Amino acid sequence: MLPFFTLLLSAATLAHKIPIFLLAGQSNMSGRGGVAGNSWDHFHLTPPPCRPTPDILRLSSRLLWEEAREPLHADIDVHKTCGVGPGMPFAHAVLAGGSAPAPLGLVPCAVGGTAISEWGRGRRLYLNLVRRARAAVEKGGILAAVLWYQGESDTVSKVDAEAYGRRMETLVWDLRRDLDEPDLLVIQVALASGEGKYVDIVRKAQKGMKVRNVLCVDADGLQLEPDNLHLTTGAQVTLGQMLADAYLNHTAVSSRFVRDL
Ligand SMILES: *[C@@H]1O[C@H](CO)[C@@H](O)[C@H](O)[C@H]1NC(C)=O
């Protein structure tokens, strides 16, 4: 077992600020790749793009930076066994793309089985997301983007599915206001399927969202675990790369964060 160590970082010890990525949504963001039954085998199930490096940090549930390692959401999404999600492969790919300086900071906030109404302003998940984002900024970070993979739970009722687009837009504006980041980049994942029959309505809302600095990548076609519910480790690696490509293409155009650093 590797020693579990906490990096003692402060803004003063770094030449630049840590680009922060908030990870939010439900189980596929939290990560179930490699989970079988109630266990996850970390010695065998982490391919290179999921492995720890001192260049990728994670904000723990106790609001401390530490070297990130899978499962990223283990102390956040505590009611289920967590496995591989898109966060680590995303971070590796962003570093490889060279547009953000190391270290990067990942702030896991996703919780399995949650509907978008539970992420509304003032609700527990929302407050936790804002609190963790602020803590990350206070501890030497600068917000780079929110990665959002959610909506499966909103495919069960037609009313929820039809409200999805409006609720997501409200969430984006609320977050930007409360985090004092009016241009905050949000990259959402369009669902491939969901828990209910109204997947197409939610997908249409996700893919059609016309809000400045809100991007969408499509999970359609990614492989699911034998449970037919969650993305496999391989699919999460692909998704992390897709999210990173979206981020890198966007920052190549705006280069806002690079200038800020
Ligand atoms: C995970 O994502 C896949 C692909 O979008 C989707 O089919 C599945 O319903 C999701 N699972 C859960 C439990 O949200």
PDB file of all heavy atoms in Angstrom, residues 28 149-150 152 188-194 199-200 202-204 206-207 216-224 231-232 234-236 238-240 242-243:
ATOM      1  N   ASN A  28     -22.012   8.110 -13.222  1.00  0.00           N
ATOM      2  CA  ASN A  28     -21.013   7.986 -14.282  1.00  0.00           C
ATOM      3  C   ASN A  28     -19.904   9.028 -14.153  1.00  0.00           C
ATOM      4  O   ASN A  28     -18.806   8.813 -14.678  1.00  0.00           O
ATOM      5  CB  ASN A  28     -21.673   8.109 -15.657  1.00  0.00           C
ATOM      6  CG  ASN A  28     -22.320   6.807 -16.116  1.00  0.00           C
ATOM      7  OD1 ASN A  28     -21.718   5.748 -16.021  1.00  0.00           O
ATOM      8  ND2 ASN A  28     -23.545   6.909 -16.603  1.00  0.00           N
ATOM      9  N   TYR A 149     -21.800  15.469 -15.683  1.00  0.00           N
ATOM     10  CA  TYR A 149     -22.356  14.263 -16.316  1.00  0.00           C
ATOM     11  C   TYR A 149     -23.513  13.818 -15.451  1.00  0.00           C
ATOM     12  O   TYR A 149     -23.324  13.202 -14.400  1.00  0.00           O
ATOM     13  CB  TYR A 149     -21.274  13.190 -16.401  1.00  0.00           C
ATOM     14  CG  TYR A 149     -21.613  11.982 -17.268  1.00  0.00           C
ATOM     15  CD1 TYR A 149     -20.641  11.009 -17.478  1.00  0.00           C
ATOM     16  CD2 TYR A 149     -22.852  11.806 -17.872  1.00  0.00           C
ATOM     17  CE1 TYR A 149     -20.900   9.896 -18.262  1.00  0.00           C
ATOM     18  CE2 TYR A 149     -23.127  10.705 -18.656  1.00  0.00           C
ATOM     19  CZ  TYR A 149     -22.149   9.752 -18.842  1.00  0.00           C
ATOM     20  OH  TYR A 149     -22.408   8.640 -19.610  1.00  0.00           O
ATOM     21  N   GLN A 150     -24.699  14.170 -15.900  1.00  0.00           N
ATOM     22  CA  GLN A 150     -25.887  13.958 -15.068  1.00  0.00           C
ATOM     23  C   GLN A 150     -27.103  13.984 -15.992  1.00  0.00           C
ATOM     24  O   GLN A 150     -27.033  14.502 -17.098  1.00  0.00           O
ATOM     25  CB  GLN A 150     -25.957  15.081 -14.013  1.00  0.00           C
ATOM     26  CG  GLN A 150     -26.956  14.900 -12.889  1.00  0.00           C
ATOM     27  CD  GLN A 150     -28.361  15.303 -13.300  1.00  0.00           C
ATOM     28  OE1 GLN A 150     -28.538  16.119 -14.201  1.00  0.00           O
ATOM     29  NE2 GLN A 150     -29.357  14.706 -12.681  1.00  0.00           N
ATOM     30  N   GLU A 152     -29.416  11.131 -16.091  1.00  0.00           N
ATOM     31  CA  GLU A 152     -30.015   9.797 -16.194  1.00  0.00           C
ATOM     32  C   GLU A 152     -31.274   9.715 -15.328  1.00  0.00           C
ATOM     33  O   GLU A 152     -32.295   9.167 -15.756  1.00  0.00           O
ATOM     34  CB  GLU A 152     -29.001   8.722 -15.759  1.00  0.00           C
ATOM     35  CG  GLU A 152     -27.778   8.611 -16.667  1.00  0.00           C
ATOM     36  CD  GLU A 152     -26.622   9.501 -16.209  1.00  0.00           C
ATOM     37  OE1 GLU A 152     -26.874  10.510 -15.520  1.00  0.00           O
ATOM     38  OE2 GLU A 152     -25.467   9.180 -16.553  1.00  0.00           O
ATOM     39  N   GLN A 188     -20.620  19.618 -20.513  1.00  0.00           N
ATOM     40  CA  GLN A 188     -21.556  18.573 -20.102  1.00  0.00           C
ATOM     41  C   GLN A 188     -21.480  17.378 -21.045  1.00  0.00           C
ATOM     42  O   GLN A 188     -21.064  17.495 -22.187  1.00  0.00           O
ATOM     43  CB  GLN A 188     -22.974  19.113 -19.982  1.00  0.00           C
ATOM     44  CG  GLN A 188     -23.421  19.925 -21.169  1.00  0.00           C
ATOM     45  CD  GLN A 188     -24.919  20.250 -21.132  1.00  0.00           C
ATOM     46  OE1 GLN A 188     -25.654  19.783 -20.280  1.00  0.00           O
ATOM     47  NE2 GLN A 188     -25.357  21.033 -22.090  1.00  0.00           N
ATOM     48  N   VAL A 189     -21.876  16.241 -20.509  1.00  0.00           N
ATOM     49  CA  VAL A 189     -21.884  15.009 -21.292  1.00  0.00           C
ATOM     50  C   VAL A 189     -23.322  14.677 -21.652  1.00  0.00           C
ATOM     51  O   VAL A 189     -24.183  14.591 -20.777  1.00  0.00           O
ATOM     52  CB  VAL A 189     -21.277  13.838 -20.489  1.00  0.00           C
ATOM     53  CG1 VAL A 189     -21.275  12.560 -21.325  1.00  0.00           C
ATOM     54  CG2 VAL A 189     -19.873  14.173 -20.010  1.00  0.00           C
ATOM     55  N   ALA A 190     -23.596  14.500 -22.937  1.00  0.00           N
ATOM     56  CA  ALA A 190     -24.931  14.076 -23.356  1.00  0.00           C
ATOM     57  C   ALA A 190     -25.069  12.585 -23.117  1.00  0.00           C
ATOM     58  O   ALA A 190     -24.190  11.796 -23.495  1.00  0.00           O
ATOM     59  CB  ALA A 190     -25.148  14.412 -24.832  1.00  0.00           C
ATOM     60  N   LEU A 191     -26.146  12.196 -22.471  1.00  0.00           N
ATOM     61  CA  LEU A 191     -26.376  10.797 -22.106  1.00  0.00           C
ATOM     62  C   LEU A 191     -26.496   9.909 -23.332  1.00  0.00           C
ATOM     63  O   LEU A 191     -27.017  10.344 -24.359  1.00  0.00           O
ATOM     64  CB  LEU A 191     -27.708  10.664 -21.360  1.00  0.00           C
ATOM     65  CG  LEU A 191     -27.953  11.569 -20.183  1.00  0.00           C
ATOM     66  CD1 LEU A 191     -29.371  11.348 -19.689  1.00  0.00           C
ATOM     67  CD2 LEU A 191     -26.942  11.265 -19.109  1.00  0.00           C
ATOM     68  N   ALA A 192     -26.078   8.660 -23.174  1.00  0.00           N
ATOM     69  CA  ALA A 192     -26.316   7.698 -24.251  1.00  0.00           C
ATOM     70  C   ALA A 192     -27.649   6.997 -24.033  1.00  0.00           C
ATOM     71  O   ALA A 192     -28.363   6.684 -24.964  1.00  0.00           O
ATOM     72  CB  ALA A 192     -25.191   6.684 -24.304  1.00  0.00           C
ATOM     73  N   SER A 193     -27.958   6.733 -22.760  1.00  0.00           N
ATOM     74  CA  SER A 193     -29.270   6.179 -22.421  1.00  0.00           C
ATOM     75  C   SER A 193     -29.501   6.559 -20.975  1.00  0.00           C
ATOM     76  O   SER A 193     -28.662   7.195 -20.368  1.00  0.00           O
ATOM     77  CB  SER A 193     -29.284   4.660 -22.607  1.00  0.00           C
ATOM     78  OG  SER A 193     -28.383   4.068 -21.705  1.00  0.00           O
ATOM     79  N   GLY A 194     -30.629   6.189 -20.434  1.00  0.00           N
ATOM     80  CA  GLY A 194     -30.894   6.620 -19.059  1.00  0.00           C
ATOM     81  C   GLY A 194     -31.697   5.597 -18.308  1.00  0.00           C
ATOM     82  O   GLY A 194     -31.864   4.462 -18.758  1.00  0.00           O
ATOM     83  N   VAL A 199     -35.068   9.629 -22.530  1.00  0.00           N
ATOM     84  CA  VAL A 199     -33.666   9.969 -22.778  1.00  0.00           C
ATOM     85  C   VAL A 199     -33.528  11.005 -23.898  1.00  0.00           C
ATOM     86  O   VAL A 199     -32.740  11.956 -23.790  1.00  0.00           O
ATOM     87  CB  VAL A 199     -32.861   8.703 -23.155  1.00  0.00           C
ATOM     88  CG1 VAL A 199     -31.421   9.055 -23.502  1.00  0.00           C
ATOM     89  CG2 VAL A 199     -32.900   7.696 -22.029  1.00  0.00           C
ATOM     90  N   ASP A 200     -34.302  10.829 -24.947  1.00  0.00           N
ATOM     91  CA  ASP A 200     -34.134  11.721 -26.105  1.00  0.00           C
ATOM     92  C   ASP A 200     -34.451  13.172 -25.767  1.00  0.00           C
ATOM     93  O   ASP A 200     -33.825  14.085 -26.303  1.00  0.00           O
ATOM     94  CB  ASP A 200     -35.018  11.250 -27.267  1.00  0.00           C
ATOM     95  CG  ASP A 200     -34.443   9.989 -27.911  1.00  0.00           C
ATOM     96  OD1 ASP A 200     -33.239   9.714 -27.657  1.00  0.00           O
ATOM     97  OD2 ASP A 200     -35.166   9.292 -28.621  1.00  0.00           O
ATOM     98  N   VAL A 202     -33.977  14.616 -22.828  1.00  0.00           N
ATOM     99  CA  VAL A 202     -32.843  15.150 -22.059  1.00  0.00           C
ATOM    100  C   VAL A 202     -31.640  15.379 -22.977  1.00  0.00           C
ATOM    101  O   VAL A 202     -30.992  16.430 -22.936  1.00  0.00           O
ATOM    102  CB  VAL A 202     -32.470  14.208 -20.885  1.00  0.00           C
ATOM    103  CG1 VAL A 202     -31.187  14.662 -20.197  1.00  0.00           C
ATOM    104  CG2 VAL A 202     -33.615  14.141 -19.879  1.00  0.00           C
ATOM    105  N   ARG A 203     -31.375  14.410 -23.842  1.00  0.00           N
ATOM    106  CA  ARG A 203     -30.255  14.555 -24.791  1.00  0.00           C
ATOM    107  C   ARG A 203     -30.412  15.791 -25.676  1.00  0.00           C
ATOM    108  O   ARG A 203     -29.451  16.514 -25.933  1.00  0.00           O
ATOM    109  CB  ARG A 203     -30.199  13.329 -25.727  1.00  0.00           C
ATOM    110  CG  ARG A 203     -29.359  12.205 -25.226  1.00  0.00           C
ATOM    111  CD  ARG A 203     -29.405  11.043 -26.213  1.00  0.00           C
ATOM    112  NE  ARG A 203     -28.796  11.356 -27.505  1.00  0.00           N
ATOM    113  CZ  ARG A 203     -27.489  11.398 -27.724  1.00  0.00           C
ATOM    114  NH1 ARG A 203     -26.649  11.151 -26.742  1.00  0.00           N
ATOM    115  NH2 ARG A 203     -27.014  11.684 -28.919  1.00  0.00           N
ATOM    116  N   LYS A 204     -31.627  16.002 -26.128  1.00  0.00           N
ATOM    117  CA  LYS A 204     -31.879  17.143 -27.000  1.00  0.00           C
ATOM    118  C   LYS A 204     -31.595  18.451 -26.253  1.00  0.00           C
ATOM    119  O   LYS A 204     -30.993  19.379 -26.800  1.00  0.00           O
ATOM    120  CB  LYS A 204     -33.337  17.097 -27.479  1.00  0.00           C
ATOM    121  CG  LYS A 204     -33.542  17.765 -28.805  1.00  0.00           C
ATOM    122  CD  LYS A 204     -34.921  17.467 -29.384  1.00  0.00           C
ATOM    123  CE  LYS A 204     -35.333  18.662 -30.250  1.00  0.00           C
ATOM    124  NZ  LYS A 204     -36.764  18.951 -30.144  1.00  0.00           N
ATOM    125  N   GLN A 206     -29.545  18.783 -23.739  1.00  0.00           N
ATOM    126  CA  GLN A 206     -28.093  18.891 -23.508  1.00  0.00           C
ATOM    127  C   GLN A 206     -27.364  19.346 -24.766  1.00  0.00           C
ATOM    128  O   GLN A 206     -26.510  20.234 -24.723  1.00  0.00           O
ATOM    129  CB  GLN A 206     -27.555  17.528 -23.040  1.00  0.00           C
ATOM    130  CG  GLN A 206     -28.051  17.146 -21.657  1.00  0.00           C
ATOM    131  CD  GLN A 206     -27.662  15.731 -21.253  1.00  0.00           C
ATOM    132  OE1 GLN A 206     -27.706  14.803 -22.062  1.00  0.00           O
ATOM    133  NE2 GLN A 206     -27.289  15.556 -19.998  1.00  0.00           N
ATOM    134  N   LYS A 207     -27.734  18.728 -25.878  1.00  0.00           N
ATOM    135  CA  LYS A 207     -27.005  19.040 -27.110  1.00  0.00           C
ATOM    136  C   LYS A 207     -27.397  20.380 -27.709  1.00  0.00           C
ATOM    137  O   LYS A 207     -26.630  20.987 -28.447  1.00  0.00           O
ATOM    138  CB  LYS A 207     -27.228  17.912 -28.139  1.00  0.00           C
ATOM    139  CG  LYS A 207     -26.644  16.590 -27.636  1.00  0.00           C
ATOM    140  CD  LYS A 207     -26.744  15.497 -28.667  1.00  0.00           C
ATOM    141  CE  LYS A 207     -25.783  15.759 -29.805  1.00  0.00           C
ATOM    142  NZ  LYS A 207     -25.513  14.552 -30.596  1.00  0.00           N
ATOM    143  N   CYS A 216     -20.704  20.612 -25.019  1.00  0.00           N
ATOM    144  CA  CYS A 216     -21.303  19.297 -24.822  1.00  0.00           C
ATOM    145  C   CYS A 216     -20.487  18.248 -25.567  1.00  0.00           C
ATOM    146  O   CYS A 216     -20.108  18.458 -26.717  1.00  0.00           O
ATOM    147  CB  CYS A 216     -22.738  19.330 -25.336  1.00  0.00           C
ATOM    148  SG  CYS A 216     -23.676  17.861 -24.972  1.00  0.00           S
ATOM    149  N   VAL A 217     -20.179  17.146 -24.902  1.00  0.00           N
ATOM    150  CA  VAL A 217     -19.610  15.995 -25.610  1.00  0.00           C
ATOM    151  C   VAL A 217     -20.627  14.857 -25.482  1.00  0.00           C
ATOM    152  O   VAL A 217     -21.412  14.833 -24.541  1.00  0.00           O
ATOM    153  CB  VAL A 217     -18.224  15.564 -25.052  1.00  0.00           C
ATOM    154  CG1 VAL A 217     -17.237  16.708 -25.086  1.00  0.00           C
ATOM    155  CG2 VAL A 217     -18.342  14.990 -23.660  1.00  0.00           C
ATOM    156  N   ASP A 218     -20.604  13.937 -26.430  1.00  0.00           N
ATOM    157  CA  ASP A 218     -21.663  12.937 -26.516  1.00  0.00           C
ATOM    158  C   ASP A 218     -21.170  11.554 -26.094  1.00  0.00           C
ATOM    159  O   ASP A 218     -20.224  11.021 -26.675  1.00  0.00           O
ATOM    160  CB  ASP A 218     -22.171  12.901 -27.966  1.00  0.00           C
ATOM    161  CG  ASP A 218     -23.530  12.241 -28.070  1.00  0.00           C
ATOM    162  OD1 ASP A 218     -23.915  11.498 -27.140  1.00  0.00           O
ATOM    163  OD2 ASP A 218     -24.207  12.467 -29.087  1.00  0.00           O
ATOM    164  N   ALA A 219     -21.839  10.979 -25.089  1.00  0.00           N
ATOM    165  CA  ALA A 219     -21.453   9.643 -24.600  1.00  0.00           C
ATOM    166  C   ALA A 219     -22.026   8.525 -25.451  1.00  0.00           C
ATOM    167  O   ALA A 219     -21.778   7.342 -25.177  1.00  0.00           O
ATOM    168  CB  ALA A 219     -21.905   9.467 -23.153  1.00  0.00           C
ATOM    169  N   ASP A 220     -22.783   8.883 -26.478  1.00  0.00           N
ATOM    170  CA  ASP A 220     -23.419   7.873 -27.314  1.00  0.00           C
ATOM    171  C   ASP A 220     -22.389   6.892 -27.865  1.00  0.00           C
ATOM    172  O   ASP A 220     -21.366   7.301 -28.414  1.00  0.00           O
ATOM    173  CB  ASP A 220     -24.149   8.573 -28.476  1.00  0.00           C
ATOM    174  CG  ASP A 220     -25.150   7.648 -29.139  1.00  0.00           C
ATOM    175  OD1 ASP A 220     -25.456   6.593 -28.550  1.00  0.00           O
ATOM    176  OD2 ASP A 220     -25.612   7.983 -30.241  1.00  0.00           O
ATOM    177  N   GLY A 221     -22.634   5.615 -27.672  1.00  0.00           N
ATOM    178  CA  GLY A 221     -21.745   4.596 -28.220  1.00  0.00           C
ATOM    179  C   GLY A 221     -20.669   4.114 -27.266  1.00  0.00           C
ATOM    180  O   GLY A 221     -19.964   3.156 -27.573  1.00  0.00           O
ATOM    181  N   LEU A 222     -20.534   4.746 -26.105  1.00  0.00           N
ATOM    182  CA  LEU A 222     -19.521   4.281 -25.154  1.00  0.00           C
ATOM    183  C   LEU A 222     -19.990   2.995 -24.474  1.00  0.00           C
ATOM    184  O   LEU A 222     -21.181   2.788 -24.249  1.00  0.00           O
ATOM    185  CB  LEU A 222     -19.238   5.370 -24.103  1.00  0.00           C
ATOM    186  CG  LEU A 222     -18.570   6.639 -24.632  1.00  0.00           C
ATOM    187  CD1 LEU A 222     -18.366   7.645 -23.506  1.00  0.00           C
ATOM    188  CD2 LEU A 222     -17.235   6.302 -25.287  1.00  0.00           C
ATOM    189  N   GLN A 223     -19.015   2.165 -24.129  1.00  0.00           N
ATOM    190  CA  GLN A 223     -19.343   0.823 -23.635  1.00  0.00           C
ATOM    191  C   GLN A 223     -19.786   0.818 -22.171  1.00  0.00           C
ATOM    192  O   GLN A 223     -19.238   1.557 -21.345  1.00  0.00           O
ATOM    193  CB  GLN A 223     -18.096  -0.059 -23.789  1.00  0.00           C
ATOM    194  CG  GLN A 223     -18.408  -1.535 -23.736  1.00  0.00           C
ATOM    195  CD  GLN A 223     -17.156  -2.375 -23.532  1.00  0.00           C
ATOM    196  OE1 GLN A 223     -16.039  -1.852 -23.435  1.00  0.00           O
ATOM    197  NE2 GLN A 223     -17.339  -3.668 -23.447  1.00  0.00           N
ATOM    198  N   LEU A 224     -20.774  -0.027 -21.866  1.00  0.00           N
ATOM    199  CA  LEU A 224     -21.271  -0.138 -20.495  1.00  0.00           C
ATOM    200  C   LEU A 224     -20.780  -1.423 -19.821  1.00  0.00           C
ATOM    201  O   LEU A 224     -20.481  -2.412 -20.484  1.00  0.00           O
ATOM    202  CB  LEU A 224     -22.808  -0.114 -20.482  1.00  0.00           C
ATOM    203  CG  LEU A 224     -23.490   1.143 -21.021  1.00  0.00           C
ATOM    204  CD1 LEU A 224     -25.009   1.023 -20.887  1.00  0.00           C
ATOM    205  CD2 LEU A 224     -23.001   2.400 -20.316  1.00  0.00           C
ATOM    206  N   LEU A 231     -20.569   3.193 -17.288  1.00  0.00           N
ATOM    207  CA  LEU A 231     -19.471   3.126 -18.251  1.00  0.00           C
ATOM    208  C   LEU A 231     -18.339   2.264 -17.715  1.00  0.00           C
ATOM    209  O   LEU A 231     -18.000   2.320 -16.530  1.00  0.00           O
ATOM    210  CB  LEU A 231     -18.928   4.530 -18.532  1.00  0.00           C
ATOM    211  CG  LEU A 231     -19.870   5.547 -19.160  1.00  0.00           C
ATOM    212  CD1 LEU A 231     -19.101   6.834 -19.457  1.00  0.00           C
ATOM    213  CD2 LEU A 231     -20.490   5.021 -20.449  1.00  0.00           C
ATOM    214  N   THR A 232     -17.725   1.485 -18.612  1.00  0.00           N
ATOM    215  CA  THR A 232     -16.554   0.684 -18.249  1.00  0.00           C
ATOM    216  C   THR A 232     -15.343   1.602 -18.061  1.00  0.00           C
ATOM    217  O   THR A 232     -15.365   2.777 -18.460  1.00  0.00           O
ATOM    218  CB  THR A 232     -16.189  -0.300 -19.374  1.00  0.00           C
ATOM    219  OG1 THR A 232     -15.875   0.473 -20.543  1.00  0.00           O
ATOM    220  CG2 THR A 232     -17.313  -1.265 -19.675  1.00  0.00           C
ATOM    221  N   GLY A 234     -12.588   1.446 -19.714  1.00  0.00           N
ATOM    222  CA  GLY A 234     -12.137   1.867 -21.045  1.00  0.00           C
ATOM    223  C   GLY A 234     -12.978   3.011 -21.596  1.00  0.00           C
ATOM    224  O   GLY A 234     -12.457   3.951 -22.200  1.00  0.00           O
ATOM    225  N   ALA A 235     -14.291   2.920 -21.374  1.00  0.00           N
ATOM    226  CA  ALA A 235     -15.178   3.980 -21.851  1.00  0.00           C
ATOM    227  C   ALA A 235     -14.909   5.282 -21.093  1.00  0.00           C
ATOM    228  O   ALA A 235     -14.951   6.369 -21.679  1.00  0.00           O
ATOM    229  CB  ALA A 235     -16.635   3.558 -21.682  1.00  0.00           C
ATOM    230  N   GLN A 236     -14.605   5.176 -19.818  1.00  0.00           N
ATOM    231  CA  GLN A 236     -14.302   6.383 -19.032  1.00  0.00           C
ATOM    232  C   GLN A 236     -13.003   7.036 -19.518  1.00  0.00           C
ATOM    233  O   GLN A 236     -12.881   8.267 -19.527  1.00  0.00           O
ATOM    234  CB  GLN A 236     -14.192   6.051 -17.534  1.00  0.00           C
ATOM    235  CG  GLN A 236     -15.521   5.682 -16.881  1.00  0.00           C
ATOM    236  CD  GLN A 236     -16.455   6.880 -16.679  1.00  0.00           C
ATOM    237  OE1 GLN A 236     -16.300   7.936 -17.305  1.00  0.00           O
ATOM    238  NE2 GLN A 236     -17.429   6.722 -15.799  1.00  0.00           N
ATOM    239  N   THR A 238     -11.924   6.919 -22.599  1.00  0.00           N
ATOM    240  CA  THR A 238     -12.311   7.600 -23.848  1.00  0.00           C
ATOM    241  C   THR A 238     -13.058   8.894 -23.549  1.00  0.00           C
ATOM    242  O   THR A 238     -12.791   9.946 -24.156  1.00  0.00           O
ATOM    243  CB  THR A 238     -13.226   6.670 -24.687  1.00  0.00           C
ATOM    244  OG1 THR A 238     -12.539   5.446 -24.899  1.00  0.00           O
ATOM    245  CG2 THR A 238     -13.579   7.299 -26.024  1.00  0.00           C
ATOM    246  N   LEU A 239     -13.974   8.828 -22.597  1.00  0.00           N
ATOM    247  CA  LEU A 239     -14.756  10.019 -22.256  1.00  0.00           C
ATOM    248  C   LEU A 239     -13.849  11.127 -21.688  1.00  0.00           C
ATOM    249  O   LEU A 239     -14.002  12.296 -22.029  1.00  0.00           O
ATOM    250  CB  LEU A 239     -15.847   9.662 -21.238  1.00  0.00           C
ATOM    251  CG  LEU A 239     -16.707  10.837 -20.797  1.00  0.00           C
ATOM    252  CD1 LEU A 239     -17.470  11.445 -21.962  1.00  0.00           C
ATOM    253  CD2 LEU A 239     -17.677  10.414 -19.680  1.00  0.00           C
ATOM    254  N   GLY A 240     -12.911  10.736 -20.826  1.00  0.00           N
ATOM    255  CA  GLY A 240     -11.974  11.724 -20.272  1.00  0.00           C
ATOM    256  C   GLY A 240     -11.209  12.429 -21.389  1.00  0.00           C
ATOM    257  O   GLY A 240     -11.023  13.654 -21.373  1.00  0.00           O
ATOM    258  N   MET A 242     -12.271  12.772 -24.501  1.00  0.00           N
ATOM    259  CA  MET A 242     -13.217  13.629 -25.233  1.00  0.00           C
ATOM    260  C   MET A 242     -13.446  14.945 -24.495  1.00  0.00           C
ATOM    261  O   MET A 242     -13.493  16.029 -25.106  1.00  0.00           O
ATOM    262  CB  MET A 242     -14.570  12.904 -25.388  1.00  0.00           C
ATOM    263  CG  MET A 242     -14.570  11.788 -26.424  1.00  0.00           C
ATOM    264  SD  MET A 242     -15.975  10.631 -26.203  1.00  0.00           S
ATOM    265  CE  MET A 242     -17.349  11.743 -26.373  1.00  0.00           C
ATOM    266  N   LEU A 243     -13.587  14.856 -23.185  1.00  0.00           N
ATOM    267  CA  LEU A 243     -13.769  16.078 -22.382  1.00  0.00           C
ATOM    268  C   LEU A 243     -12.530  16.965 -22.475  1.00  0.00           C
ATOM    269  O   LEU A 243     -12.625  18.190 -22.581  1.00  0.00           O
ATOM    270  CB  LEU A 243     -14.048  15.707 -20.916  1.00  0.00           C
ATOM    271  CG  LEU A 243     -15.427  15.104 -20.621  1.00  0.00           C
ATOM    272  CD1 LEU A 243     -15.433  14.379 -19.274  1.00  0.00           C
ATOM    273  CD2 LEU A 243     -16.504  16.201 -20.624  1.00  0.00           C
TER     274      LEU A 243
END
